[in-house]
mmCIF file of all heavy atoms in Angstrom:
data_model
loop_
_atom_site.group_PDB
_atom_site.id
_atom_site.type_symbol
_atom_site.label_atom_id
_atom_site.label_comp_id
_atom_site.label_asym_id
_atom_site.label_seq_id
_atom_site.Cartn_x
_atom_site.Cartn_y
_atom_site.Cartn_z
ATOM 1 N N GLU A 24 6.609 -37.721 8.353
ATOM 2 C CA GLU A 24 7.957 -38.114 8.812
ATOM 3 C C GLU A 24 7.902 -38.707 10.239
ATOM 4 O O GLU A 24 8.549 -39.709 10.532
ATOM 5 C CB GLU A 24 8.894 -36.939 8.789
ATOM 6 C CG GLU A 24 9.270 -36.432 7.387
ATOM 7 C CD GLU A 24 10.066 -35.153 7.474
ATOM 8 O OE1 GLU A 24 10.472 -34.767 8.556
ATOM 9 O OE2 GLU A 24 10.325 -34.547 6.362
ATOM 10 N N ILE A 25 7.130 -38.084 11.091
ATOM 11 C CA ILE A 25 6.990 -38.547 12.475
ATOM 12 C C ILE A 25 6.337 -39.944 12.462
ATOM 13 O O ILE A 25 6.775 -40.831 13.178
ATOM 14 C CB ILE A 25 6.174 -37.538 13.294
ATOM 15 C CG1 ILE A 25 6.912 -36.209 13.534
ATOM 16 C CG2 ILE A 25 5.774 -38.139 14.660
ATOM 17 C CD1 ILE A 25 6.076 -35.113 14.047
ATOM 18 N N ASN A 26 5.315 -40.114 11.631
ATOM 19 C CA ASN A 26 4.670 -41.398 11.536
ATOM 20 C C ASN A 26 5.643 -42.477 11.004
ATOM 21 O O ASN A 26 5.607 -43.637 11.484
ATOM 22 C CB ASN A 26 3.455 -41.292 10.609
ATOM 23 C CG ASN A 26 2.778 -42.617 10.370
ATOM 24 O OD1 ASN A 26 2.826 -43.117 9.201
ATOM 25 N ND2 ASN A 26 2.119 -43.177 11.339
ATOM 26 N N ASN A 27 6.494 -42.150 10.071
ATOM 27 C CA ASN A 27 7.429 -43.057 9.496
ATOM 28 C C ASN A 27 8.407 -43.587 10.552
ATOM 29 O O ASN A 27 9.058 -44.604 10.329
ATOM 30 C CB ASN A 27 8.178 -42.461 8.294
ATOM 31 C CG ASN A 27 7.281 -42.331 7.075
ATOM 32 O OD1 ASN A 27 6.302 -43.022 6.973
ATOM 33 N ND2 ASN A 27 7.662 -41.470 6.170
ATOM 34 N N GLN A 28 8.553 -42.859 11.629
ATOM 35 C CA GLN A 28 9.447 -43.283 12.728
ATOM 36 C C GLN A 28 8.754 -44.279 13.647
ATOM 37 O O GLN A 28 9.355 -44.708 14.648
ATOM 38 C CB GLN A 28 9.915 -42.086 13.545
ATOM 39 C CG GLN A 28 10.737 -41.081 12.707
ATOM 40 C CD GLN A 28 10.969 -39.788 13.436
ATOM 41 O OE1 GLN A 28 10.514 -39.601 14.563
ATOM 42 N NE2 GLN A 28 11.700 -38.878 12.814
ATOM 43 N N GLY A 29 7.523 -44.631 13.330
ATOM 44 C CA GLY A 29 6.806 -45.630 14.125
ATOM 45 C C GLY A 29 5.774 -45.044 15.079
ATOM 46 O O GLY A 29 5.214 -45.840 15.880
ATOM 47 N N ARG A 30 5.512 -43.766 14.997
ATOM 48 C CA ARG A 30 4.570 -43.193 15.976
ATOM 49 C C ARG A 30 3.157 -43.149 15.326
ATOM 50 O O ARG A 30 2.986 -42.928 14.147
ATOM 51 C CB ARG A 30 4.986 -41.779 16.373
ATOM 52 C CG ARG A 30 6.307 -41.715 17.045
ATOM 53 C CD ARG A 30 6.576 -40.373 17.631
ATOM 54 N NE ARG A 30 8.018 -40.252 17.914
ATOM 55 C CZ ARG A 30 8.581 -40.621 19.086
ATOM 56 N NH1 ARG A 30 7.860 -41.185 20.003
ATOM 57 N NH2 ARG A 30 9.889 -40.434 19.252
ATOM 58 N N THR A 31 2.147 -43.367 16.162
ATOM 59 C CA THR A 31 0.734 -43.331 15.799
ATOM 60 C C THR A 31 0.251 -41.908 15.959
ATOM 61 O O THR A 31 0.551 -41.235 16.945
ATOM 62 C CB THR A 31 -0.030 -44.301 16.607
ATOM 63 O OG1 THR A 31 0.529 -45.635 16.484
ATOM 64 C CG2 THR A 31 -1.499 -44.381 16.178
ATOM 65 N N ILE A 32 -0.582 -41.435 14.995
ATOM 66 C CA ILE A 32 -1.006 -40.024 15.063
ATOM 67 C C ILE A 32 -2.545 -39.927 14.826
ATOM 68 O O ILE A 32 -3.055 -40.534 13.887
ATOM 69 C CB ILE A 32 -0.264 -39.178 13.994
ATOM 70 C CG1 ILE A 32 1.214 -39.241 14.230
ATOM 71 C CG2 ILE A 32 -0.719 -37.725 14.071
ATOM 72 C CD1 ILE A 32 2.055 -38.593 13.152
ATOM 73 N N LEU A 33 -3.185 -39.169 15.677
ATOM 74 C CA LEU A 33 -4.598 -38.912 15.522
ATOM 75 C C LEU A 33 -4.770 -37.392 15.392
ATOM 76 O O LEU A 33 -4.286 -36.623 16.215
ATOM 77 C CB LEU A 33 -5.417 -39.389 16.740
ATOM 78 C CG LEU A 33 -6.905 -39.100 16.773
ATOM 79 C CD1 LEU A 33 -7.641 -39.795 15.586
ATOM 80 C CD2 LEU A 33 -7.515 -39.527 18.115
ATOM 81 N N ILE A 34 -5.439 -36.986 14.298
ATOM 82 C CA ILE A 34 -5.518 -35.570 13.926
ATOM 83 C C ILE A 34 -6.961 -35.106 13.880
ATOM 84 O O ILE A 34 -7.840 -35.826 13.333
ATOM 85 C CB ILE A 34 -4.893 -35.287 12.557
ATOM 86 C CG1 ILE A 34 -3.460 -35.840 12.494
ATOM 87 C CG2 ILE A 34 -4.956 -33.828 12.192
ATOM 88 C CD1 ILE A 34 -2.869 -35.839 11.072
ATOM 89 N N VAL A 35 -7.245 -33.946 14.435
ATOM 90 C CA VAL A 35 -8.498 -33.211 14.200
ATOM 91 C C VAL A 35 -8.148 -32.073 13.307
ATOM 92 O O VAL A 35 -7.235 -31.339 13.546
ATOM 93 C CB VAL A 35 -9.097 -32.720 15.529
ATOM 94 C CG1 VAL A 35 -10.173 -31.636 15.259
ATOM 95 C CG2 VAL A 35 -9.666 -33.850 16.356
ATOM 96 N N GLU A 36 -8.890 -31.969 12.157
ATOM 97 C CA GLU A 36 -8.452 -30.995 11.183
ATOM 98 C C GLU A 36 -9.580 -30.419 10.363
ATOM 99 O O GLU A 36 -10.471 -31.167 9.933
ATOM 100 C CB GLU A 36 -7.413 -31.627 10.225
ATOM 101 C CG GLU A 36 -6.781 -30.732 9.205
ATOM 102 C CD GLU A 36 -6.169 -29.465 9.836
ATOM 103 O OE1 GLU A 36 -5.104 -29.556 10.465
ATOM 104 O OE2 GLU A 36 -6.799 -28.398 9.637
ATOM 105 N N GLN A 37 -9.599 -29.100 10.163
ATOM 106 C CA GLN A 37 -10.547 -28.426 9.301
ATOM 107 C C GLN A 37 -10.116 -28.495 7.842
ATOM 108 O O GLN A 37 -11.007 -28.601 6.967
ATOM 109 C CB GLN A 37 -10.723 -26.982 9.690
ATOM 110 C CG GLN A 37 -11.558 -26.762 10.990
ATOM 111 C CD GLN A 37 -12.983 -27.128 10.815
ATOM 112 O OE1 GLN A 37 -13.400 -28.205 11.222
ATOM 113 N NE2 GLN A 37 -13.794 -26.275 10.233
ATOM 114 N N GLU A 38 -8.850 -28.479 7.589
ATOM 115 C CA GLU A 38 -8.333 -28.621 6.227
ATOM 116 C C GLU A 38 -8.421 -30.115 5.832
ATOM 117 O O GLU A 38 -7.384 -30.807 5.796
ATOM 118 C CB GLU A 38 -6.901 -28.100 6.104
ATOM 119 C CG GLU A 38 -6.779 -26.600 6.276
ATOM 120 C CD GLU A 38 -7.377 -25.832 5.133
ATOM 121 O OE1 GLU A 38 -7.554 -26.407 4.038
ATOM 122 O OE2 GLU A 38 -7.708 -24.605 5.306
ATOM 123 N N ALA A 39 -9.630 -30.551 5.603
ATOM 124 C CA ALA A 39 -9.893 -31.993 5.494
ATOM 125 C C ALA A 39 -9.161 -32.629 4.303
ATOM 126 O O ALA A 39 -8.629 -33.798 4.469
ATOM 127 C CB ALA A 39 -11.384 -32.258 5.359
ATOM 128 N N ARG A 40 -9.108 -32.004 3.178
ATOM 129 C CA ARG A 40 -8.493 -32.610 1.989
ATOM 130 C C ARG A 40 -7.021 -32.986 2.279
ATOM 131 O O ARG A 40 -6.608 -34.113 2.004
ATOM 132 C CB ARG A 40 -8.549 -31.675 0.798
ATOM 133 C CG ARG A 40 -9.910 -31.608 0.120
ATOM 134 C CD ARG A 40 -9.813 -30.795 -1.134
ATOM 135 N NE ARG A 40 -11.112 -30.568 -1.737
ATOM 136 C CZ ARG A 40 -11.717 -31.455 -2.567
ATOM 137 N NH1 ARG A 40 -11.145 -32.605 -2.790
ATOM 138 N NH2 ARG A 40 -12.915 -31.160 -2.998
ATOM 139 N N ILE A 41 -6.268 -31.999 2.713
ATOM 140 C CA ILE A 41 -4.803 -32.276 2.851
ATOM 141 C C ILE A 41 -4.570 -33.228 4.021
ATOM 142 O O ILE A 41 -3.661 -34.084 3.917
ATOM 143 C CB ILE A 41 -4.027 -30.967 3.066
ATOM 144 C CG1 ILE A 41 -2.525 -31.251 2.978
ATOM 145 C CG2 ILE A 41 -4.392 -30.273 4.380
ATOM 146 C CD1 ILE A 41 -1.677 -29.972 2.776
ATOM 147 N N ALA A 42 -5.354 -33.160 5.072
ATOM 148 C CA ALA A 42 -5.185 -34.118 6.196
ATOM 149 C C ALA A 42 -5.477 -35.498 5.722
ATOM 150 O O ALA A 42 -4.702 -36.470 5.988
ATOM 151 C CB ALA A 42 -6.053 -33.704 7.362
ATOM 152 N N LEU A 43 -6.562 -35.749 5.011
ATOM 153 C CA LEU A 43 -6.905 -37.086 4.565
ATOM 154 C C LEU A 43 -5.884 -37.577 3.539
ATOM 155 O O LEU A 43 -5.628 -38.790 3.495
ATOM 156 C CB LEU A 43 -8.295 -37.076 3.988
ATOM 157 C CG LEU A 43 -9.466 -36.937 4.970
ATOM 158 C CD1 LEU A 43 -10.771 -36.685 4.219
ATOM 159 C CD2 LEU A 43 -9.588 -38.160 5.891
ATOM 160 N N ALA A 44 -5.361 -36.661 2.720
ATOM 161 C CA ALA A 44 -4.370 -37.083 1.739
ATOM 162 C C ALA A 44 -3.084 -37.626 2.376
ATOM 163 O O ALA A 44 -2.328 -38.345 1.741
ATOM 164 C CB ALA A 44 -4.077 -35.895 0.813
ATOM 165 N N HIS A 45 -2.858 -37.267 3.641
ATOM 166 C CA HIS A 45 -1.690 -37.714 4.338
ATOM 167 C C HIS A 45 -2.019 -38.766 5.428
ATOM 168 O O HIS A 45 -1.223 -39.078 6.272
ATOM 169 C CB HIS A 45 -0.963 -36.562 5.001
ATOM 170 C CG HIS A 45 -0.301 -35.619 4.017
ATOM 171 N ND1 HIS A 45 -0.976 -34.649 3.335
ATOM 172 C CD2 HIS A 45 1.006 -35.590 3.538
ATOM 173 C CE1 HIS A 45 -0.141 -34.009 2.550
ATOM 174 N NE2 HIS A 45 1.045 -34.563 2.617
ATOM 175 N N SER A 46 -3.226 -39.318 5.341
ATOM 176 C CA SER A 46 -3.708 -40.202 6.393
ATOM 177 C C SER A 46 -3.987 -41.600 5.815
ATOM 178 O O SER A 46 -4.203 -41.782 4.613
ATOM 179 C CB SER A 46 -4.979 -39.710 7.073
ATOM 180 O OG SER A 46 -4.723 -38.456 7.696
ATOM 181 N N HIS A 47 -4.006 -42.584 6.733
ATOM 182 C CA HIS A 47 -4.407 -43.938 6.324
ATOM 183 C C HIS A 47 -5.941 -44.099 6.371
ATOM 184 O O HIS A 47 -6.520 -44.719 5.480
ATOM 185 C CB HIS A 47 -3.738 -44.991 7.276
ATOM 186 C CG HIS A 47 -2.217 -44.942 7.245
ATOM 187 N ND1 HIS A 47 -1.527 -44.283 8.202
ATOM 188 C CD2 HIS A 47 -1.353 -45.440 6.346
ATOM 189 C CE1 HIS A 47 -0.249 -44.432 7.960
ATOM 190 N NE2 HIS A 47 -0.104 -45.084 6.818
ATOM 191 N N ARG A 48 -6.536 -43.591 7.401
ATOM 192 C CA ARG A 48 -8.000 -43.734 7.603
ATOM 193 C C ARG A 48 -8.557 -42.410 8.096
ATOM 194 O O ARG A 48 -7.787 -41.542 8.577
ATOM 195 C CB ARG A 48 -8.363 -44.854 8.582
ATOM 196 C CG ARG A 48 -8.049 -46.246 8.076
ATOM 197 C CD ARG A 48 -8.654 -47.351 8.977
ATOM 198 N NE ARG A 48 -8.198 -47.170 10.330
ATOM 199 C CZ ARG A 48 -8.949 -46.778 11.357
ATOM 200 N NH1 ARG A 48 -10.253 -46.441 11.130
ATOM 201 N NH2 ARG A 48 -8.470 -46.638 12.563
ATOM 202 N N GLY A 49 -9.868 -42.319 8.032
ATOM 203 C CA GLY A 49 -10.556 -41.135 8.533
ATOM 204 C C GLY A 49 -11.868 -41.373 9.152
ATOM 205 O O GLY A 49 -12.476 -42.493 8.896
ATOM 206 N N TYR A 50 -12.325 -40.476 9.933
ATOM 207 C CA TYR A 50 -13.665 -40.526 10.577
ATOM 208 C C TYR A 50 -14.381 -39.191 10.237
ATOM 209 O O TYR A 50 -13.739 -38.136 10.250
ATOM 210 C CB TYR A 50 -13.586 -40.682 12.047
ATOM 211 C CG TYR A 50 -13.255 -42.020 12.546
ATOM 212 C CD1 TYR A 50 -11.937 -42.474 12.588
ATOM 213 C CD2 TYR A 50 -14.269 -42.926 12.979
ATOM 214 C CE1 TYR A 50 -11.569 -43.748 12.997
ATOM 215 C CE2 TYR A 50 -13.945 -44.234 13.401
ATOM 216 C CZ TYR A 50 -12.557 -44.645 13.419
ATOM 217 O OH TYR A 50 -12.283 -45.879 13.816
#
């Protein structure tokens, strides 16, 4: 929802599956 408002988001996450499922790209 925050991203849909036009904000860019960078996440560090151990729950990799769910984070990637909600992301455009990953490292």
